[in-house]
Amino acid sequence: EKFKAAAQGNLVKLAGLALASDFTPRRIAVQLSNDLYRLLTPRLKRRGVFIETEIEYRVGAYFVLAVNVLRVDWRRLVKMTNRDVLERRAKWIKEAESEEGKEATLRYFGPLATLVRLSRMTSIEVLANFLALLYYTHWVVYTPICLFLYHFIIGETFRKYFLSSVTDEIFYYVERKGMEMDIQIMDAQSQTAFMLSALQEIRADGRELKKKKEKAGAEEPELLGPLLGPAIKEDNGPAPPIPDGFEIPANLDFVGLELNLQVGFRRLRWALLSSDSTFISDGVWKAESKYDNIVLNPWNKHDAEIGAAKLPDGVKEEDLIGAEKESNYLMPKSAFVAANTAYETAFIEAYNDYCFAFKKRALTPDVPYGSTFAAWTKYVIINTGNNSCKMICSVEAEFPNGPPMISRQITSGMRAGVGELFVKTGETIQKYANIYP
């Protein structure tokens, strides 16, 4: 058991080091910037946008691809935009109608639903829908309108739309290579500030990587105390049988981490779910993820019983299912996103001595396109007996009003960011379990 615990701890440390290390993104950035330089021009040409482009800056995992729009074939652009808008709308309606077991409501009926969707659209989404409508008029009518808007009113929005219209293809290409990527489209005047922020982040990542390597080489890392709580006697025995009729909750779209942990099941359940525990807030969010202004509320029912090693008489395990807990915290800034507050709601989905599962919905209205999506994460922990358990973490993007043009970009960034949190959570659990068995 000691050997398994040490091996598992080292495995999680290696995952954390690999995630923090920036040598792989540096190499990938060189290849990716060359690929995008080669692919962007023909992709936009097919949409009627003719450009010239150049790799202007490349440092670490970041690169700047400068794009200058030469001319626009408005007939082709309006036609392609209309096709894209109709395809996205049809795809969303089909997915909403085929959803089973979820609270899926079709929000495309009636003027009120239309107004709600419009109020949540970004300027680029509004422009895309406007161009799609122009397709039903004659090109002699809409060409001078587009020229006037482009040259005198909203030229920057048009240019951002041109590049955003091909991000789906770019991210599909990146995903086929097994990578995740963040893209930010900005005007030339903002480029210097962006690169300065990127360089600051590279230096901060370098310092963080150095600290991780030093901690990995140390025998006992600095911890905040026994945040996992005391060991529980019942965790020493074999795993209980699967309850009759119980099914392990299904994972979300993307499994970000699957890990065997050398820590007792009931002990971990207390650490992750109990309102008396500060493991997540202090150990993971504050110490590891550098979150600030953390606010935690109690569960909306059975707050004192959730996470307990044994439930009191009169409270059944099924009574805890469906309990909700709200929290919010300030996430630190990155090169692409300013510091922003996340509003999170946790839902208990399964609760027994064989398995417990909870999912979280995070809303980040202050980030770009934040009003268009919700980030769902799910943690499923299975009791494997003898002070061990298995943790499966998954993530899924939800677009309540239909996926926006850059939905693939949002999903990719979400997987990368949440994947880092998953690894930090697993690493922290095993680290505390090794020092405080």
Side-chain angles (χ1 to χ4, degrees):
E1 292 299 326
K2 289 183 179 180
F3 174 77
K4 286 172 66 179
Q8 191 66 38
N10 288 331
L11 178 64
V12 181
K13 285 180 182 178
L14 287 173
L17 284 171
L19 195 66
S21 177
D22 64 351
F23 71 89
T24 299
R26 282 181 180 178
R27 295 177 180 176
I28 292 173
V30 173
Q31 177 188 351
L32 192 56
S33 59
N34 290 332
D35 289 344
L36 294 185
Y37 172 74
R38 176 175 54 87
L39 295 172
L40 194 59
T41 299
R43 292 292 193 277
L44 282 171
K45 185 178 180 180
R46 288 191 320 203
R47 302 183 62 83
V49 181
F50 298 84
I51 65 167
E52 59 181 2
T53 183
E54 189 65 49
I55 299 173
E56 190 168 292
Y57 203 89
R58 189 160 54 194
V59 56
Y62 300 91
F63 62 89
V64 172
L65 198 66
V67 178
N68 182 37
V69 179
L70 300 176
R71 66 184 180 88
V72 180
D73 182 344
W74 295 104
R75 294 179 66 179
R76 176 173 287 275
L77 178 67
V78 167
K79 179 181 179 181
M80 297 294 287
T81 301
N82 178 265
R83 185 202 66 179
D84 292 346
V85 169
L86 291 179
E87 285 181 354
R88 283 198 303 272
R89 189 174 300 161
K91 181 180 178 181
W92 173 57
I93 292 174
K94 183 177 180 182
E95 289 177 352
E97 288 176 337
S98 63
E99 279 186 332
E100 295 179 1
K102 294 182 179 181
E103 295 180 359
T105 57
L106 301 183
R107 305 176 186 176
Y108 52 88
F109 292 116
L112 181 59
T114 302
L115 288 174
V116 170
R117 285 204 309 275
L118 286 173
S119 67
R120 295 180 179 178
M121 283 184 179
T122 63
S123 58
I124 294 177
E125 293 286 326
V126 172
L127 177 58
N129 281 271
F130 173 69
L131 292 176
L133 287 174
L134 290 180
Y135 178 72
Y136 301 105
T137 65
H138 197 275
W139 67 270
V140 174
V141 175
Y142 64 70
T143 298
I145 296 175
C146 292
L147 285 170
F148 177 77
L149 292 174
Y150 177 62
H151 288 289
F152 299 106
I153 307 295
I154 51 172
E156 182 181 339
T157 304
F158 266 101
R159 288 185 286 273
K160 288 185 177 181
Y161 166 68
F162 297 156
L163 298 178
S164 297
S165 64
V166 295
T167 53
D168 255 15
E169 296 180 57
I170 292 173
F171 274 91
Y172 177 71
Y173 172 81
V174 171
E175 288 174 6
R176 286 178 60 190
K177 288 180 171 285
M179 300 181 292
E180 303 288 356
M181 179 180 70
D182 282 335
I183 286 181
Q184 182 75 16
I185 300 171
M186 59 184 60
D187 58 75
Q189 294 177 347
S190 306
Q191 176 194 326
T192 302
F194 163 73
M195 287 312 303
L196 178 61
S197 179
L199 288 170
Q200 290 173 343
E201 184 167 317
I202 290 172
R203 294 191 185 102
D205 287 346
R207 291 193 294 268
E208 184 67 21
L209 176 60
K210 184 178 180 181
K211 289 180 182 178
K212 278 182 172 288
K213 288 179 177 178
E214 291 174 351
K215 288 181 180 180
E219 291 185 1
E220 292 190 6
E222 295 182 5
L223 302 181
L224 303 177
L227 297 185
L228 289 176
I232 297 175
K233 182 180 179 181
E234 288 80 359
D235 286 332
N236 293 325
I242 301 177
D244 293 338
F246 175 74
E247 293 184 3
I248 297 174
N251 297 319
L252 301 178
D253 278 352
F254 180 78
V255 176
L257 182 68
E258 190 169 341
L259 199 62
N260 294 314
L261 295 167
Q262 298 303 309
V263 61
F265 174 83
R266 295 169 181 82
R267 185 185 185 192
L268 183 60
R269 185 172 65 187
W270 178 87
L272 296 182
L273 296 184
S274 175
S275 292
D276 294 330
S277 169
T278 60
F279 175 75
I280 290 295
S281 60
D282 293 350
V284 179
W285 289 354
K286 187 178 293 184
E288 297 295 330
S289 300
K290 310 305 179 187
Y291 294 173
D292 201 2
N293 300 341
I294 298 171
V295 176
L296 295 173
N297 293 308
W299 293 98
N300 66 342
K301 63 177 182 178
H302 299 291
D303 182 66
E305 291 78 28
I306 290 176
K310 186 178 180 180
L311 294 177
D313 295 338
V315 179
K316 300 179 181 179
E317 293 174 340
E318 51 266 30
D319 296 339
L320 310 186
I321 296 174
E324 299 181 14
K325 181 178 184 178
E326 294 183 348
S327 58
N328 60 76
Y329 43 82
L330 180 68
M331 296 187 290
K333 75 179 186 69
S334 68
F336 290 99
V337 180
N340 63 95
T341 301
Y343 301 89
E344 190 175 89
T345 305
F347 307 85
I348 293 180
E349 195 169 312
Y351 195 102
N352 55 61
D353 287 339
Y354 173 75
C355 170
F356 73 91
F358 59 97
K359 59 183 180 181
K360 297 182 176 183
R361 182 188 64 227
L363 303 177
T364 49
D366 298 330
V367 305
Y369 304 97
S371 62
T372 68
F373 69 89
W376 285 91
T377 54
K378 182 181 286 190
Y379 296 77
V380 178
I381 292 84
I382 301 171
N383 191 346
T384 54
N386 301 315
N387 275 309
S388 67
C389 54
K390 181 177 183 179
M391 182 172 71
I392 307 170
C393 308
S394 56
V395 59
E396 182 175 327
E398 179 193 16
F399 302 101
N401 297 288
M405 287 172 51
I406 60 167
S407 59
R408 198 181 288 269
Q409 176 183 343
I410 293 171
T411 302
S412 181
M414 187 183 299
R415 289 176 179 177
V418 173
E420 182 177 355
L421 179 62
F422 287 160
V423 171
K424 286 180 177 178
T425 302
E427 181 183 13
T428 307
I429 291 171
Q430 196 59 65
K431 184 167 58 178
Y432 275 83
N434 291 343
I435 302 302
Y436 300 100

